[in-house]
Amino acid sequence: MEEVVLRLEGATYRHSVYAPLPLKPWRSIKGPGIFEANISLQKGTILGLVGPNGAGKTTLLRVMAGILPLQTGCVYSGSDGLVRTEQQLRQMVGHMPEQVRWQGRKTVRQALLELGEMRHASEKRIDKLLTLVGLTTRKDSALSELSQGMRQRLTLGVALLGSPEILLLDEPLNGLDPVGAAAFVALLKSLTEKGVSIVLSSHQVEGLIGIIDRLALMHRGHILAEGTLEGVAKSLKLDSKTEIKGTGSPPRFKKYGINPSQVHLEEKNGYWNALLEQAQPHLLTKLVNDGVEITEWSIRQPNVVEMLCAATGQSLEDVGLEVASSAYVPLRTFGGEEE
């Protein structure tokens, strides 16, 4: 069983929203945030925190980093099971915000040295970090001269100054080209091999399945599902799908005991493409024996987008474009009905 390094139970934090009244000009109410979040982080793994904009991902990361205090709930250290305060969390966690505006004539190394003083990092440690994040050749470059990818590497270097056990990354792949993103992911993989646990927050879900070890789905401040990719898909009752492409006339799938309503078939210019809602590992042999001309065959696992839609019960358009009200209050149930 993998070692749990951090565990949140019932974690709640709601932001204050300015809501003045004629006789109460400074009135505020509780707004969006995170609600009774339960999540575990395993050692040396990458947890993908996925959800649309406004889901509460940044708030959750700031709570885990000790920046925002919990209003209810607890944060436990997996090694000893003790409750952790915000100050203790800041000592064991490295936090990489979504965007840091590195500007000025100060060099990369000078910036790291100054920030390293707060973490009591030696010059030798700074030089090792520059090598680790791939900035050795740019250590004397001015901050204003850095590309977006180099800025992201510098921000990661700052997050690693205190040799943290846990690394929290808020939208780290934003603004990176495919080559830069691949290099950044390779760097994260090398950190997990050293035992660092990583939480990677993103609303850009393409390609995450090849990066993360575990997945947490967020929507409107709630963690809807958390676990391995296979475990989350199973809990949401999502099956693998079969995709078949061929030429000529498409097969009559009902003949093979497949409900036509479970088949999405497209035909164009003598070619056809069929997507079956369930995995059919023995179907290929039957089709070939019947002389069906097949050009491609694949069993496709559920992707992150499908998991998020299944967890929320909404379509892709509703999940991706919905903006929650600032006065949003989580759903409560009364006698089985939601308020």
Side-chain angles (χ1 to χ4, degrees):
M1 187 174 181
E2 294 182 351
E3 178 185 349
V4 176
V5 294
L6 199 69
R7 179 166 51 91
L8 273 67
E9 287 189 5
T12 298
Y13 180 89
R14 296 181 65 182
H15 299 276
S16 294
V17 177
Y18 181 51
L21 292 174
L23 299 180
K24 297 180 179 179
W26 307 112
R27 174 177 173 265
S28 64
I29 60 174
K30 288 185 177 181
I34 59 172
F35 308 94
E36 299 182 357
N38 298 309
I39 196 169
S40 297
L41 182 59
Q42 274 77 23
K43 183 175 182 179
T45 61
I46 299 179
L47 171 69
L49 193 60
V50 174
N53 287 327
K57 303 187 298 296
T58 296
T59 299
L60 179 60
L61 290 183
R62 289 176 178 174
V63 166
M64 296 175 75
I67 298 172
L68 296 177
L70 278 180
Q71 294 166 346
T72 61
C74 292
V75 182
Y76 298 92
S77 169
S79 58
D80 52 24
L82 297 178
V83 178
R84 293 298 177 183
T85 63
E86 287 81 33
Q87 183 177 358
Q88 290 172 326
L89 284 173
R90 288 193 289 269
Q91 292 174 349
M92 65 186 297
V93 170
H95 180 227
M96 179 179 171
E98 179 176 357
Q99 189 176 53
V100 177
R101 300 185 183 278
W102 298 104
Q103 296 292 334
R105 296 183 177 179
K106 193 174 297 180
T107 68
V108 169
R109 191 171 187 275
Q110 287 172 340
L112 274 176
L113 284 171
E114 290 185 7
L115 293 169
E117 291 182 5
M118 293 185 286
R119 289 282 195 173
H120 307 290
S122 64
E123 289 193 33
K124 184 178 180 180
R125 169 66 178 164
I126 297 297
D127 290 333
K128 285 185 177 180
L129 274 179
L130 287 168
T131 302
L132 179 64
V133 299
L135 286 176
T136 302
T137 59
R138 302 301 299 271
K139 64 180 181 180
D140 295 322
S141 298
L143 297 178
S144 297
E145 298 174 0
L146 298 179
S147 66
Q148 176 64 17
M150 294 299 106
R151 291 190 179 102
Q152 293 289 73
R153 288 173 177 268
L154 177 55
T155 306
L156 178 60
V158 173
L160 291 169
L161 276 172
S163 300
E165 302 173 46
I166 299 167
L167 192 58
L168 308 177
L169 311 178
D170 196 354
E171 304 287 356
L173 304 180
N174 274 3
L176 296 183
D177 58 68
V179 175
F184 196 90
V185 169
L187 176 56
L188 298 184
K189 291 289 188 180
S190 70
L191 291 173
T192 60
E193 292 172 0
K194 300 177 187 296
V196 178
S197 304
I198 298 174
V199 180
L200 191 158
S201 165
S202 180
H203 68 276
Q204 300 178 4
V205 298
E206 292 184 9
L208 277 186
I209 286 185
I211 300 172
I212 61 178
D213 304 300
R214 297 176 67 86
L215 176 69
L217 301 176
M218 286 198 73
H219 189 55
R220 286 191 166 189
H222 294 274
I223 295 178
L224 305 179
E226 188 267 329
T228 63
L229 295 169
E230 295 79 7
V232 171
K234 185 176 180 180
S235 69
L236 296 172
K237 296 181 171 59
L238 289 176
D239 295 319
S240 300
K241 297 182 179 181
T242 302
E243 187 169 14
I244 314 169
K245 295 181 181 181
T247 59
S249 299
R252 296 178 59 190
F253 290 98
K254 187 175 181 180
K255 170 185 175 182
Y256 303 97
I258 300 172
N259 191 330
S261 65
Q262 300 296 309
V263 180
H264 304 276
L265 182 64
E266 296 180 358
E267 296 182 66
K268 187 176 181 181
N269 299 328
Y271 293 86
W272 55 269
N273 184 1
L275 182 65
L276 283 60
E277 289 296 327
Q278 292 183 337
Q280 301 287 343
H282 304 297
L283 180 60
L284 177 60
T285 302
K286 296 177 182 179
L287 293 176
V288 172
N289 290 338
D290 286 348
V292 179
E293 298 178 7
I294 296 176
T295 58
E296 291 185 34
W297 169 282
S298 63
I299 303 294
R300 182 163 65 82
Q301 303 297 325
N303 60 38
V304 177
V305 173
E306 291 169 336
M307 293 182 194
L308 186 59
C309 290
T312 59
Q314 296 179 312
S315 67
L316 175 60
E317 291 77 12
D318 291 333
V319 170
L321 300 178
E322 181 177 330
V323 179
S325 165
S326 61
Y328 166 73
V329 177
L331 296 174
R332 294 179 292 174
T333 57
F334 296 90
E337 295 186 356
E338 292 178 336
E339 181 189 51

